[in-house]
Amino acid sequence: MKYTMKRFLSALLTLILFLSLLPSAAFAANDLKVYIDFEGYNLGQGFYIEPTALEFADGATAADATIDLLGRMGHEYDAGGNGETFFLLAVKGFGTENAIIPAYIPADESAPTTENNVGNSDDWLGGGDYSPMSGWLITVNHKILETSAAEYVLKDGDVLRWQFTVWGFGADFGVMQSWGGDPYYTHDDKTALIQALFA
């Protein structure tokens, strides 16, 4: 009986030690469901990646969701940051068609138009394509994220929309913001609609 108890305790101790060596992520439940897409509406190109539901453990960030989605869809990307920050610079395979610049972008001699935009000269869509003010910005629940995607911790139900701004540093999204100026138009909040797609 003593021998059996010793073997049991030894096996239990071995199991505990083994489990303690496993990363905590192995046991983390995917408690969060978020929705993320990539859009080129300001180039007249619609969705590059349609809204997609992803699940994550607590503590995941908008950068985690971005990297996960692009990886699933097979898109290479270029990003800036130091691990604690993440700024999406360019994505391969988006925006290679002729752009249709929306009429709500103000008439300015340096602003792009459908007729005069310089276009996208390679397979990557990123900052500097179409205008000096262009690039990728992310909105979370209809608000432009004013920090790095790596610093935003996801909440259950978040709607993340990576959109390509052509002019006005996001003012062409039709979303109120505090640092890029007033929006060029008022865009309806689609957060609930996108959430409802997966209800």
Side-chain angles (χ1 to χ4, degrees):
M1 183 71 173
K2 286 184 179 179
Y3 179 71
T4 304
M5 182 58 73
K6 282 183 181 179
R7 287 186 65 186
F8 172 75
L9 291 175
S10 176
L12 182 61
L13 182 59
T14 301
L15 178 63
I16 291 170
L17 287 172
F18 173 73
L19 293 177
S20 70
L21 295 175
L22 289 177
S24 59
F27 300 98
N30 286 338
D31 296 325
L32 305 174
K33 180 180 280 187
V34 299
Y35 313 96
I36 178 171
D37 68 30
F38 275 81
E39 304 176 19
Y41 282 98
N42 287 329
L43 296 174
Q45 296 173 3
F47 285 115
Y48 298 128
I49 300 177
E50 293 187 355
T52 303
L54 299 176
E55 294 184 355
F56 293 96
D58 286 335
T61 67
D64 295 326
T66 302
I67 293 167
D68 187 311
L69 181 65
L70 289 174
R72 287 171 187 249
M73 299 300 176
H75 287 283
E76 296 178 48
Y77 66 91
D78 186 21
N82 58 10
E84 295 180 3
T85 58
F86 177 96
F87 301 97
L88 188 63
L89 301 177
V91 181
K92 189 173 184 180
F94 293 167
T96 57
E97 304 89 351
N98 292 330
I100 300 173
I101 306 298
Y104 51 73
I105 289 181
D108 180 286
E109 62 181 22
S110 54
T113 66
T114 299
E115 294 72 31
N116 75 3
N117 74 84
V118 295
N120 182 10
S121 59
D122 56 26
D123 289 338
W124 294 78
L125 180 59
D129 289 331
Y130 300 101
S131 93
M133 290 188 194
S134 66
W136 288 105
L137 289 176
I138 184 173
T139 61
V140 178
N141 304 328
H142 201 60
K143 294 179 182 175
I144 290 180
L145 190 61
E146 298 185 8
T147 185
S148 151
E151 297 173 273
Y152 180 81
V153 178
L154 297 173
K155 300 175 184 64
D156 190 46
D158 276 345
V159 173
L160 287 66
R161 300 169 66 191
W162 279 102
Q163 300 175 70
F164 192 78
T165 178
V166 177
W167 191 254
F169 302 110
D172 51 355
F173 293 168
V175 175
M176 290 303 296
Q177 53 188 312
S178 63
W179 53 267
D182 292 333
Y184 299 148
Y185 71 105
T186 300
H187 184 67
D188 291 337
D189 187 346
K190 298 290 197 308
T191 301
L193 178 62
I194 291 174
Q195 291 167 336
L197 291 174
F198 301 91

